[in-house]
DNA sequence: AACAGCCCCAACCGCGACAGG
DNA sequence: CCCTGTCGCGGTTGGGGCTGT
């Protein structure tokens, strides 16, 4: 019979948002910060479900959204990231400041897919369209890669999850240092889809490097670190976005209203990966 | 001008992950 | 360990705008 609805639907609006609804949501989040989406609509006087409010804010109202056309550089970055990450739109969006996962997903489906097909590339596999799976698929199940290895994405049956790449990088001490400087992805070109990772041996100077700079934080298992619930965090700072935004917890609505736990934060302040979700606007004056 | 078909994107839906009780 | 509530992600949809006839 499926799950129960995410919220009371009898008295909620659906469909396009009005300017008045937008303004209410903006005003409320300005005053109280993001978070606690479930209770936000009622508190903000909106006849919407929390999910809808969250989506509207994240995809449309957030002040740091770039909007407007994608640049050629963004196009290429999306293509490269997609070849590595697959349809992990939120991860891809994390590398494009001011762009949302929804926006990138839409753009992929409407523009980039077509662009790749016109180049003769399969948008899902990033392989030439005419190539058959039998011709390119590995003959045996892949064995675990050594610490530093070449990863040939041409022969990968599916895009490698970023965590898997990081694990293979063998730089785990306290946590992942991030892929920056650990795994350098090299592509001869998007067209030939000849992507490998460091330490590559051939034509390094002539190949374009894609510095993913994906900073990944691991949960540190340290009881003394009680800054944020059971999990401590490492900052996840994206290029571009960090110029005005610094990691700073504590603008979650729950926390604002005093619902936080004894350590000062509620779970809404933190992503499941252990990263802070809330950023405090740094006064630029 | 009117209509049909297409395109795009904002919004919705379902599900998995996770935390807390 | 199980159940429930919540969040966030990825896939899908539908309506408005655009273009061609």
């Amino acid at each position: 019979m499926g799950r129960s609805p995410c919220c009371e639907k009898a008295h909620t609006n659906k469909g396009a948002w009005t300017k008045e609804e937008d303004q209410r949501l903006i005003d409320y989040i300005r005053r109280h910060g993001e978070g606690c989406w479930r209770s936000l609509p009622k508190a903000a006087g909106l006849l919407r479900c929390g999910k809808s409010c969250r989506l509207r804010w994240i995809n449309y109202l957030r002040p740091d959204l770039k909007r407007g056309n994608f640049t050629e550089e963004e196009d290429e970055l999306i293509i490269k990231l997609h070849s590595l990450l697959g349809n992990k739109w939120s991860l891809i969006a994390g590398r494009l400041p001011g762009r949302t996962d929804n926006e990138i997903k839409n753009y992929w489906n409407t523009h980039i897919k077509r662009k790749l097909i016109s180049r003769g590339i399969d948008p899902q596999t990033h392989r030439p369209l005419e190539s058959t799976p039998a011709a390119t698929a590995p003959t045996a199940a892949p064995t675990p890669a050594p610490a530093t290895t070449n990863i040939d994405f041409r022969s990968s049956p599916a895009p490698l999850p970023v965590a898997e790449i990081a694990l293979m990088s063998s730089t785990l001490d306290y946590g992942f240092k991030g892929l920056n400087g650990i795994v350098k992805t090299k592509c001869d070109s998007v067209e030939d889809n000849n992507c490998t990772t460091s330490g590559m041996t051939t034509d390094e100077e002539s190949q374009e490097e894609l510095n993913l700079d994906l900073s990944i934080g691991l949960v540190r298992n340290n009881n003394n670190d009680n800054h944020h619930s059971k999990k401590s965090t490492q900052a996840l700072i994206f290029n571009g976005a960090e110029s005005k935004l610094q990691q700073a917890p504590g603008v979650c609505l729950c926390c604002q209203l005093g619902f936080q736990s004894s350590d000062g934060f509620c779970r809404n302040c933190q992503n499941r990966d252990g990263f802070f979700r809330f950023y405090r606007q740094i006064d630029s004056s």
Side-chain angles (χ1 to χ4, degrees):
Chain A
M1 284 296 117
R3 58 168 43 203
S4 58
C6 72
C7 53
E8 176 59 59
K9 296 207 171 179
H11 303 291
T12 55
N13 293 340
K14 287 177 74 174
W17 280 63
T18 64
K19 282 195 171 183
E20 191 185 336
E21 286 177 312
D22 281 348
Q23 201 52 53
R24 271 178 189 267
L25 183 56
I26 291 167
D27 289 346
Y28 191 83
I29 291 176
R30 270 193 192 141
R31 274 183 280 122
H32 302 289
E34 299 180 39
C36 294
W37 297 107
R38 172 93 172 173
S39 58
L40 186 148
K42 196 176 179 184
L46 286 161
L47 294 175
R48 294 275 179 175
C49 77
K51 212 171 181 177
S52 180
C53 294
R54 178 184 156 271
L55 223 54
R56 183 64 178 171
W57 174 255
I58 287 173
N59 288 332
Y60 200 80
L61 298 175
R62 253 171 45 198
D64 57 323
L65 290 182
K66 195 182 275 182
R67 313 203 68 78
N69 293 338
F70 282 76
T71 64
E72 195 61 34
E73 288 74 27
E74 285 176 313
D75 276 18
E76 294 306 321
L77 183 55
I78 291 168
I79 291 166
K80 286 173 183 173
L81 287 168
H82 187 273
S83 72
L84 290 166
L85 303 168
N87 294 359
K88 301 292 177 191
W89 305 117
S90 59
L91 280 175
I92 294 171
R95 302 304 311 146
L96 287 129
R99 302 294 188 186
T100 70
D101 54 355
N102 203 37
E103 191 179 12
I104 292 169
K105 179 172 59 182
N106 283 333
Y107 188 65
W108 176 270
N109 286 325
T110 55
H111 292 93
I112 299 184
K113 258 187 180 176
R114 218 174 300 160
K115 188 173 179 175
L116 287 180
I117 289 168
S118 74
R119 290 177 181 179
I121 296 169
D122 185 327
Q124 276 312 308
T125 64
H126 294 264
R127 295 178 191 146
L129 276 170
E130 62 271 19
S131 72
T132 61
T136 54
T139 53
T143 53
T148 300
T149 185
N150 294 350
I151 305 167
D152 187 342
F153 290 99
R154 289 169 300 180
S155 60
S156 296
L160 282 162
V162 64
E164 203 174 319
I165 299 170
L167 279 169
M168 287 191 290
S169 71
S170 139
T171 52
L172 289 165
D173 43 16
Y174 159 63
F176 299 138
K177 293 175 182 172
L179 297 182
N180 181 23
I182 297 172
V183 176
K184 296 280 178 66
T185 301
K186 299 173 180 301
C187 298
D188 289 328
S189 69
V190 175
E191 282 75 12
D192 65 15
N193 207 30
N194 184 11
C195 299
T196 54
T197 57
S198 72
M200 323 284 121
T201 54
T202 58
D203 297 327
E204 294 207 352
E205 283 74 18
S206 65
Q207 295 178 343
E208 180 189 358
E209 282 196 10
L210 170 61
N211 179 1
L212 286 171
D213 193 20
L214 293 165
S215 302
I216 294 178
L218 269 191
V219 175
R220 180 168 46 180
N221 191 11
N222 180 353
N223 292 335
N224 293 329
D225 188 347
N226 62 354
H227 173 63
H228 199 276
S229 183
K230 293 176 186 170
K231 294 178 179 178
S232 65
T233 62
Q234 266 188 300
L236 175 65
I237 299 176
F238 295 134
N239 287 342
E242 72 271 30
S243 58
K244 282 202 161 186
L245 297 169
Q246 282 186 359
Q247 181 203 2
V251 291
C252 161
L253 174 58
C254 289
C255 298
Q256 293 264 338
L257 297 177
F259 295 149
Q260 70 269 31
S261 59
S262 59
D263 57 19
F265 304 95
C266 75
R267 72 187 185 96
N268 291 305
C269 296
Q270 195 177 19
N271 265 336
R272 62 175 64 127
D273 295 333
F275 303 127
F276 287 115
R277 285 166 46 204
F278 297 98
Y279 294 84
R280 180 170 289 137
Q281 185 81 36
I282 303 304
D283 192 353
S284 55
S285 61

